[in-house]
Amino acid sequence: MDKEIVRGLSVSPLGVHAVLLVVPSDLTFTEAQQVALEEHMNLFDAGIWKHTMVLFTYGDKLADKSIEKHIEREHRALRWLVNKCENKYHVVNNMKKSDMSQVTELFEKIEEMVAGNNGRLYCPDMNDVHHRIEEKFRRRQLKNVLKQELEEEYRRRELELMINFKETLLALQADKESVTST
């Protein structure tokens, strides 16, 4: 997935004006999603956040509640995300797909973000990004090896305990038999 994200950003060799993080408003954005998102975003330098906006989908599921109330009442991970994006967000009502004003408003917000960034494009150093991906892959491999070794050690100790327990039970059974036969 990391390579696919990087490929998406590298389609434009000069850089991008906007990165949209799509978040369905009808699902809870939890710490698990926050951690996953941070891992992906950490492939790039911190400057990416100045060019990032949250795009909430399924705005129709909010009913009468405003997106601000939704953000306020949701898990703190969602508030973290909105804060990270400097409160840049937009809501799309999926039931009004033909309402082009939603798209127009989104583009207006993107233009505001571009103006706030003085028209500068976000262009990551792809060598650094690829290095971070390789490093992340190595850490994940090491983690898997350590996890496997830990599981093997756990199984070995469990087997050892079971053997010791069996020996203790047999010894107790032998003691009991010798006591009852005398």
Side-chain angles (χ1 to χ4, degrees):
M1 186 180 278
D2 289 337
K3 288 183 179 180
E4 202 54 32
I5 292 168
V6 170
R7 191 182 67 73
L9 275 177
S10 64
V11 169
S12 176
L14 298 177
V16 295
H17 281 294
V19 175
L20 298 178
L21 296 177
V22 180
V23 177
S25 62
D26 63 337
L27 296 177
T28 302
F29 188 82
T30 64
E31 286 176 358
Q33 283 91 7
Q34 178 183 344
V35 168
L37 177 62
E38 279 185 288
E39 282 185 16
H40 294 307
M41 296 297 276
N42 285 341
L43 295 174
F44 308 99
D45 61 76
I48 194 168
W49 291 106
K50 290 214 161 285
H51 298 268
T52 304
M53 178 184 297
V54 180
L55 178 60
F56 290 102
T57 57
Y58 297 99
D60 45 290
K61 303 285 184 181
L62 295 173
D64 294 338
K65 186 169 53 170
S66 71
I67 190 63
E68 290 78 16
K69 286 277 188 212
H70 173 71
I71 293 167
E72 185 181 306
R73 291 182 179 162
E74 260 295 308
H75 194 277
R76 65 183 172 87
L78 183 62
R79 291 190 298 277
W80 168 87
L81 174 59
V82 171
N83 286 334
K84 216 46 183 158
C85 294
E86 300 174 347
N87 292 312
K88 296 183 301 275
Y89 56 86
H90 182 69
V91 183
V92 175
N93 183 327
N94 288 45
M95 298 306 287
K96 296 181 180 178
K97 292 180 182 179
S98 60
D99 182 1
M100 292 310 291
S101 66
Q102 297 184 105
V103 177
T104 303
E105 190 179 329
L106 172 62
F107 280 120
E108 287 170 358
K109 287 181 179 182
I110 291 172
E111 286 175 10
E112 285 175 27
M113 182 171 60
V114 170
N117 290 324
N118 298 316
R120 285 189 303 268
L121 295 165
Y122 176 72
C123 188
D125 180 336
M126 294 315 265
N127 288 330
D128 283 348
V129 171
H130 289 294
H131 176 73
R132 288 183 184 125
I133 289 174
E134 289 170 11
E135 191 61 38
K136 183 177 175 182
F137 181 72
R138 279 195 291 275
R139 280 193 312 270
R140 186 166 284 147
Q141 278 183 317
L142 179 61
K143 182 180 174 182
N144 287 338
V145 167
L146 292 173
K147 181 180 176 183
Q148 187 177 6
E149 288 176 358
L150 186 63
E151 287 172 354
E152 287 172 9
E153 179 64 16
Y154 177 77
R155 279 197 248 23
R156 186 191 65 72
R157 287 185 181 181
E158 187 178 37
L159 182 61
E160 185 180 299
L161 286 170
M162 288 174 73
I163 290 170
N164 289 342
F165 184 68
K166 182 180 177 184
E167 289 172 356
T168 303
L169 281 178
L170 290 173
L172 287 172
Q173 186 179 15
D175 286 350
K176 182 181 175 194
E177 288 173 3
S178 68
V179 169
T180 55
S181 64
T182 54

